Amino acid sequence: MNQYLKQLKTAYESGNTINKLIYWNIAIAVVTFILSAFFKDVYFDFINIFSLNSQFSVAATKIWSFFTYSFIHAGLIHLIFNMIMLFYLGQLFTTFFTQIQLLGVYIVGAVFSGLFYVAIAAFFPLGGNVVGASGAIMALLFAVTAYAPYMNVRLMLIGNVKIWHIAVVFIFLDVVQIPFGNAGGHITHLGGALFGALYILLLKKGIDLSSFIIFFQKLFKRQKNQKKHFKNVYKNTTATNSSVSNNKDQVQKRIDEILDKIKKSGYESLSKEEKTFLFQQKE
């Protein structure tokens, strides 16, 4: 069992952003499925706390739900479909953008979709709670569509189509299905699509809404390095402390340079040595 957990941990740490998001969605789904099967009362409490309510007065009391709802799924089919979509659209997204931008669009896309859902519910009686990663995934689809609308995508049994054709079909299906059920889900899809297009519009004007990810990444890395530095100060002599501090500064400088390279050219532009260096810093 311990060996299996170690292998799972290694696979998670060595995976890219897409893989890590899929791991998180599956892990939370497993928890909800177990609660649903054996602890009904706890399951309903869990869903009530972390799903997004259509009424702003309720949603505002659990502000975290504007994000957490996107990691909860209504069933196995819902989960599988969303994870397949996330995997393939994530691959398309990283054709043009970085892993950090993918994470930023996914997170902000989920929040924006939730806000869009609650805003629409203020004018139309949607009712109930909404769950699912579809809004965030639609943000990825429409970001790619807005950036490269004539990109060819090969579909099974159909052949090559333009990605904007796929986007239009998704929008059409969501709009026509709103009156027939799951209105909340379709509304969040439309919110995600709107955010994806807005993201590219702002990006072309020099505003990258995913840049906050880099800020927090650097902030957490500095805090981690500072804690390590304080431990070294306690354990070593003054001369050794100076050497350790200089070494940490050099490591942090190297990390910043690699992160800047990722931001400009993407994770795949890194050399094997740079990828290994980054992986070692996670340990």
Side-chain angles (χ1 to χ4, degrees), residues 212-224:
F212 74 97
I213 298 291
I214 298 176
F215 169 78
F216 283 110
Q217 188 178 48
K218 289 183 177 180
L219 179 63
F220 293 146
K221 182 62 70 174
R222 288 195 189 99
Q223 291 177 344
K224 183 178 180 180

Side-chain angles (χ1 to χ4, degrees), residues 112-166:
F112 185 94
S113 298
L115 290 169
F116 186 80
Y117 166 68
V118 172
I120 297 298
F123 299 96
F124 300 97
L126 297 178
N129 294 353
V130 68
V131 296
S134 304
I137 294 170
M138 285 288 280
L140 297 175
L141 169 60
F142 274 80
V144 176
T145 302
Y147 186 80
Y150 300 106
M151 176 185 184
N152 280 320
V153 178
R154 186 171 183 81
L155 298 179
M156 189 180 299
L157 303 179
I158 297 177
N160 289 334
V161 298
K162 306 298 183 185
I163 194 169
W164 75 266
H165 294 155
I166 299 174

Side-chain angles (χ1 to χ4, degrees), residues 13-66:
E13 291 179 343
S14 61
N16 57 24
T17 301
I18 303 169
N19 294 335
K20 289 178 179 179
L21 286 171
I22 291 174
Y23 272 120
W24 274 103
N25 276 281
I26 292 176
I28 293 173
V30 169
V31 172
T32 58
F33 294 161
I34 292 174
L35 292 178
S36 177
F38 302 105
F39 308 97
K40 289 289 186 182
D41 292 339
V42 178
Y43 169 74
F44 289 125
D45 288 339
F46 180 90
I47 296 298
N48 184 56
I49 292 171
F50 295 106
S51 61
L52 180 62
N53 193 278
S54 61
Q55 297 182 19
F56 180 76
S57 59
V58 177
T61 63
K62 45 175 190 170
I63 196 72
W64 58 85
S65 65
F66 282 96

Side-chain angles (χ1 to χ4, degrees), residues 252-281:
Q252 185 58 50
K253 181 179 179 181
R254 182 78 189 286
I255 291 173
D256 291 341
E257 290 174 349
I258 294 176
L259 291 176
D260 289 338
K261 185 175 180 181
I262 293 174
K263 183 180 179 182
K264 293 178 181 178
S265 308
Y267 179 80
E268 299 305 324
S269 67
L270 299 183
S271 66
K272 182 177 180 181
E273 185 274 332
E274 288 171 330
K275 292 179 181 179
T276 301
F277 176 79
L278 268 185
F279 180 75
Q280 289 174 343
Q281 301 314 305

